[in-house]
Amino acid sequence: MTAANPARGEAVLRIGGAAVVLRPSFAALVAAEQELGPLFALVERAAEARLGIGEMVALFWHCLADIPEGMTREVFGEGVAMAGLAEATPVLRVLLGQILAGR
């Protein structure tokens, strides 16, 4: 089983039968910000329940520690949608917390 390292701000997301680690590294957050715009605005949209699933998937995609072989962003997005908000919300909360904490 894949495990997250909380000291690194990591979270695990289950996509299909696989567990993937999301790590909000500086490089990952810069890439997400280039695509999504300022991260503080993203946090504000999330707090106001205005964060779209496409934005969430983009943030998750950029934070993947390792992309499983054969996984495309489209397949990943479908997996996030299939997993549902109950699976994705705790992971989103960890990543947004790390953005705000600046660890």
Side-chain angles (χ1 to χ4, degrees):
M1 180 177 157
T2 303
N5 181 347
R8 294 180 80 173
E10 295 176 346
V12 171
L13 179 64
R14 299 192 191 296
I15 299 294
V20 295
V21 173
L22 284 78
R23 180 182 308 133
S25 68
F26 177 75
L29 296 178
V30 167
E33 191 169 57
Q34 287 175 342
E35 179 178 343
L36 299 168
L39 293 178
F40 285 111
L42 182 98
V43 171
E44 287 177 350
R45 287 193 302 278
E48 296 168 355
R50 295 185 305 113
L51 186 69
I53 190 166
E55 293 174 303
M56 182 175 60
V57 167
L59 177 63
F60 287 2
W61 178 257
H62 288 294
C63 289
L64 280 173
D66 294 302
I67 299 172
E69 188 170 330
M71 179 158 307
T72 64
R73 186 163 171 177
E74 182 177 346
V75 169
F76 179 74
E78 288 293 327
V80 172
M82 294 284 291
L85 289 177
E87 181 77 24
T89 300
V91 174
L92 179 63
R93 188 173 298 125
V94 168
L95 296 180
L96 294 177
Q98 291 303 309
I99 290 169
L100 291 172
R103 291 187 183 155

